[in-house]
Amino acid sequence: MIKGDMIRLILASLVSPIIAGIFGGAVFGAFSLPTAIHDLETYDASLTRPATLADQLAHMGMSVTGGGAMGLMLGLPILVLAGLPAHAWLVGRSKTDLRYYAIAGLLTGMIGAVPLFGFNLPRALLQDARSVLPLLLLCSLCGMIAASVFWFLRRPDRMAV
């Protein structure tokens, strides 16, 4: 039985940040859909054409792909450094309900904003909160989704302690 538990732990650790990153990329792509496309043949930034459905779908595809890659590049190290210790702490305290994992993921997701803004996050929030706060909320939401996916794949409430 230990072998199956370890496989589920590894699977949950690899899959959950990618799924959360895909979600984050989809949200980011939906809020940044292009309305105009620059003319790439003449390389003149002043020449634009209206964005077609194909352009917007290509943009969404790139956003989702980039989100999955960011989930793997940023989310996996954060899961290893903060998420797995939080998992061990929650299991040790017998707090294995989904809501505890979602709250831990929400807090852990805020750590994901540090690589995006560096350690200047408090200063960035004070100077330009209109652009920083949505990304901070998106990182937190992605952390919560990653923790929820981790919980659904690992099912710590069914583990033998």
Side-chain angles (χ1 to χ4, degrees), residues 41-113:
E41 293 176 3
T42 61
Y43 299 104
D44 186 1
S46 64
L47 298 175
T48 60
R49 62 174 173 77
T52 63
L53 179 62
D55 295 328
Q56 292 180 342
L57 288 175
H59 174 76
M60 282 300 292
M62 291 295 291
S63 296
V64 166
T65 304
M70 289 294 282
L72 191 59
M73 290 186 304
L74 292 177
L76 189 60
I78 291 168
L79 184 131
V80 169
L81 295 174
L84 290 178
H87 166 65
W89 186 79
L90 288 170
V91 168
R93 306 269 182 295
S94 299
K95 305 286 186 190
T96 57
D97 194 31
L98 176 61
R99 66 177 170 231
Y100 295 112
Y101 276 76
I103 292 169
L106 185 74
L107 297 174
T108 304
M110 288 182 191
I111 297 171

Side-chain angles (χ1 to χ4, degrees), residues 96-98 101 151 154-160:
T96 57
D97 194 31
L98 176 61
Y101 276 76
W151 185 87
R154 180 66 177 106
R155 292 309 302 253
D157 58 335
R158 297 181 183 170
M159 284 177 27

